[in-house]
Amino acid sequence: MTAQELKMFRAALKHLPFYGISLKDFAEQIHLRPHTLYNYICGQRPSYKHYQYILYVLERDYPAAVAESREMIKQGGKIYNE
């Protein structure tokens, strides 16, 4: 995963609450602990296996969050915790 992909991944996780699901509920849905997702948002690199799985679920269930984060990255929007 490149730095751009990692930025998009973190931004998509940050935007989940705006699409009707909290990070805690999303973590339970994908069988992870909530603090794991918070760590990924705050700078820890996920394993490739976790990255692929979480991105797959995001694209399947919350495509608008992924699309918005990609658009923000393209437009050069400020992503916190970079």
Side-chain angles (χ1 to χ4, degrees), residues 1-76:
M1 81 194 89
T2 65
Q4 287 292 95
E5 292 171 336
L6 197 55
K7 276 186 187 180
M8 186 278 306
F9 175 76
R10 289 178 177 149
L13 287 175
K14 287 179 195 177
H15 288 110
L16 280 178
F18 296 111
Y19 292 95
I21 187 165
S22 68
L23 281 176
K24 181 181 176 185
D25 293 337
F26 182 70
E28 289 174 4
Q29 176 185 346
I30 60 172
H31 307 291
L32 285 177
R33 298 285 182 145
H35 72 269
T36 303
L37 292 181
Y38 287 111
N39 288 343
Y40 292 162
I41 289 171
C42 292
Q44 179 183 347
R45 288 181 69 98
S47 69
Y48 188 72
K49 182 178 171 182
H50 275 184
Y51 169 78
Q52 289 289 31
Y53 178 67
I54 294 169
L55 192 60
Y56 167 75
V57 173
L58 284 171
E59 288 176 341
R60 183 189 68 196
D61 296 341
Y62 306 98
V66 176
E68 181 180 333
S69 63
R70 283 189 179 134
E71 188 62 31
M72 246 172 73
I73 298 296
K74 282 182 187 176
Q75 292 180 359

